[in-house]
Amino acid sequence: MKIKTILFLIICSMWLVACNSNEETTKTIEIQELINFEEEKSDTLQLISDAKDIKIIEKTFKKAREFGEVDNKVVPQYKIKLNDDEYYLWIDNTYTGTIANVNSRNMFYNIYTTEEFKKAINYQEQQK
C-alpha cells in the first residue's frame, strides 16, 4: 500500500511540474512598423517565433525602468504585441529605447537596446 501511495504522489508531482512549466509561454511576437499612433505601415508585419529571439525581447521588456509620464507627440517606430499586451517602441542607433503600453501611452519606460535586441526585432536604422 505504501508503494502505491508514494508512486501516486510522485506522478502527481510530475504532473504539476509539467503543467506549471507551460504557463505564459510566448509562441510568437508581432511587430508592426507605424505611420502614426493608429496607422500601421502596410507589408511590415513581422512574426517573431524563434525561441531565442522571443527570450531576448521578453527579457528586455521585463528589465524596463519607469521613466515617468510624458505628453508625447513623437510617433513610435513600432507596435509590438507581446502576449496579451501591446506596446509602442521608440528606438534609434543608441543603446536606449523607450516603450509605452498602448493602453497608457503617456507612461514611458526606458529599455536597454542591445545589438542582440535590435537583431531579434530586425531593426534597421532609418536613413534620413
Side-chain angles (χ1 to χ4, degrees), residues 22-36:
N22 289 333
E23 269 182 33
E24 281 295 319
T25 306
T26 305
K27 293 188 183 354
T28 57
I29 294 176
E30 295 179 16
I31 301 176
Q32 183 78 47
E33 289 184 41
L34 298 175
I35 295 172
N36 57 46

Side-chain angles (χ1 to χ4, degrees), residues 20-117:
N20 286 337
S21 66
N22 289 333
E23 269 182 33
E24 281 295 319
T25 306
T26 305
K27 293 188 183 354
T28 57
I29 294 176
E30 295 179 16
I31 301 176
Q32 183 78 47
E33 289 184 41
L34 298 175
I35 295 172
N36 57 46
F37 282 97
E38 285 76 33
E39 194 176 356
E40 300 167 343
K41 286 185 183 177
S42 61
D43 301 324
T44 61
L45 177 65
Q46 297 181 61
L47 298 176
I48 309 295
S49 58
D50 180 77
K52 182 181 173 201
D53 290 341
I54 289 171
K55 188 175 182 180
I56 291 165
I57 295 166
E58 287 180 327
K59 182 179 168 185
T60 300
F61 276 54
K62 283 180 185 172
K63 290 184 171 186
R65 298 283 180 241
E66 186 176 311
F67 176 76
E69 201 163 324
V70 177
D71 184 23
N72 179 39
K73 305 291 186 235
V74 177
V75 176
Q77 289 96 330
Y78 300 99
K79 182 163 55 172
I80 298 180
K81 184 171 185 186
L82 179 63
N83 295 320
D84 294 330
D85 292 315
E86 287 186 311
Y87 299 90
Y88 292 121
L89 170 63
W90 292 263
I91 189 171
D92 59 21
N93 63 346
T94 65
Y95 286 104
T96 57
T98 304
I99 60 172
N101 191 297
V102 169
N103 297 322
S104 57
R105 73 180 195 200
N106 290 337
M107 182 56 73
F108 280 61
Y109 297 84
N110 288 333
I111 58 172
Y112 183 58
T113 55
T114 62
E115 291 302 318
E116 196 177 38
F117 174 79

